[in-house]
Amino acid sequence: MRFVRSQKIRGWALLGATAICLGLPGVITTLGNSALAGTTLEERKLPMHFSWAACQPDCKGWISAVGIVTSDSPKEFDEFARDRQLDGATIVLDSSGGSVNDSIALGRRFRSLGAMTTVGVTVRTQTAQGERARIVPHAWCESMCVFLLLSGKARYVPEEAHVRVHQIWMGDRADDAKAASYNAQDLMIVERDIGRLAKYTFDMGGAGDLLSLALSVPPWEDLHELSATELRLTHLVTTDAVADVLPHDSSSIPVAELKPTEVKAKPTQDRFVSSAVEGDAPPQVVKSTKTAEAVVPTGGAATGPGQAGK
């Protein structure tokens, strides 16, 4: 399987970035890796899995979506949702991306449920009253995860969260994109899938600025972390209130507080800001671990596994 990671078109205080890849032929995937404590990082490298986090009586609960989107993810979400009433549910994302076309399919499923989205790590603990869940805001949503975030009818990103983007590229040539060779078929697939991603972005209410920003970061550069201004400009954030995405029945919000010893994210500079808002600012250099995972080639047109990371 070949992959492509995203390139250029103009166009969660609750929780605490992004590589897009394309699978060949006809499959796009996202790559992304970030340093995260405990077992979270390892979970983010595995195929995406879905679980229900109950938090009664504090709130109605949420869906935890962790890992890389593969060709199986849409089907596995359908199986997860089959015996549950998930209309209007909140989806908490912790992902380094995955298959572009499968992420688009999964995002459309989220929107069809009227889901709300945010970024965070779901932590479960055993208490005398049973298992309780809370959300740690220091988390990552990278690459195609950003477009899953966009699928929510209401979208909240905490200050501690990291939302990162970059270009679509052939995943099997991402490690040395400049030295690799390409043919007309490769270019056709990239352009076709950029078109699919553009349509999805606008269908979800995203701004062309999101595409322009993501598509302006080549595969040989580090993922760009979106600033608070860019999150707004791209329409990735629709609310600054946690309660808008995690409705609760009492004043207790199940969001884990950062410990004093934890390091908060540094301010992020804008890489791209519409001239209607303010002038361009230089990009912030954000280092990230680069990995790539081989996938068996497929001949499908719009589905297929995709994982790896930049």
Side-chain angles (χ1 to χ4, degrees):
M1 166 79 60
R2 303 177 182 175
F3 301 101
V4 180
R5 289 176 293 183
S6 7
Q7 13 155 306
K8 178 169 183 180
I9 297 176
R10 255 219 148 206
W12 170 346
L14 182 58
L15 323 166
T18 320
I20 303 176
C21 305
L22 161 60
L24 283 183
V27 181
I28 303 180
T29 57
T30 303
L31 307 181
N33 258 335
S34 301
L36 192 58
T39 60
T40 304
L41 177 58
E42 292 307 313
E43 287 186 296
R44 293 176 68 249
K45 291 181 179 180
L46 298 174
M48 182 168 281
H49 63 277
F50 308 94
S51 61
W52 180 257
C55 60
Q56 293 289 4
D58 299 330
C59 69
K60 69 176 185 178
W62 61 85
I63 299 168
S64 172
V66 184
I68 298 169
V69 178
T70 71
S71 60
D72 293 325
S73 298
K75 178 182 66 177
E76 290 182 357
F77 180 74
D78 288 342
E79 293 174 353
F80 168 79
R82 183 169 296 116
D83 299 320
R84 293 180 171 88
Q85 178 52 257
L86 299 180
D87 290 348
T90 294
I91 300 172
V92 179
L93 298 160
D94 181 29
S95 170
S96 56
S99 163
V100 173
N101 288 318
D102 294 302
S103 293
I104 289 174
L106 187 57
R108 291 192 183 281
R109 283 167 168 75
F110 291 172
R111 178 55 66 90
S112 70
L113 292 172
M116 298 173 285
T117 55
T118 188
V119 182
V121 177
T122 298
V123 178
R124 294 175 172 83
T125 57
Q126 290 295 331
T127 69
Q129 291 72 40
E131 183 179 88
R132 300 298 297 273
R134 70 187 191 282
I135 297 168
V136 175
H138 195 66
W140 279 259
C141 183
E142 304 174 324
S143 192
M144 282 308 296
C145 175
V146 175
F147 293 88
L148 290 180
L149 174 65
L150 186 63
S151 70
K153 293 186 66 175
R155 306 182 286 273
Y156 175 76
V157 175
E159 292 181 3
E160 298 89 346
H162 304 278
V163 179
R164 302 178 180 180
V165 296
H166 78 164
Q167 270 181 8
I168 284 178
W169 207 262
M170 315 313 296
D172 60 345
R173 278 154 280 185
D175 288 340
D176 197 354
K178 288 184 177 181
S181 60
Y182 309 88
N183 57 37
Q185 178 76 2
D186 296 334
L187 296 178
M188 180 277 294
I189 291 171
V190 173
E191 292 185 3
R192 178 202 64 193
D193 288 317
I194 287 175
R196 289 175 174 172
L197 191 59
K199 183 179 187 306
Y200 169 86
T201 297
F202 297 129
D203 286 348
M204 296 297 108
D209 294 310
L210 175 57
L211 291 164
S212 182
L213 178 55
L215 296 176
S216 70
V217 185
W220 48 85
E221 290 186 9
D222 292 302
L223 291 149
H224 171 66
E225 183 163 336
L226 276 67
S227 67
T229 298
E230 289 168 337
L231 287 171
R232 280 288 183 183
L233 181 67
T234 57
H235 298 176
L236 279 170
V237 167
T238 64
T239 179
D240 294 321
V242 175
D244 287 344
V245 296
L246 281 180
H248 52 94
D249 302 320
S250 72
S251 60
S252 176
I253 303 294
V255 178
E257 295 292 335
L258 285 176
K259 297 179 181 179
T261 55
E262 291 183 289
V263 179
K264 293 187 178 182
K266 295 180 179 179
T268 302
Q269 293 181 322
D270 300 317
R271 177 188 178 102
F272 169 80
V273 178
S274 172
S275 58
V277 179
E278 58 181 272
D280 290 339
Q284 178 189 26
V285 176
V286 180
K287 296 299 180 180
S288 59
T289 302
K290 301 176 182 178
T291 65
E293 302 173 17
V295 182
V296 179
T298 68
T303 59
Q307 53 251 22
K310 171 171 171 70

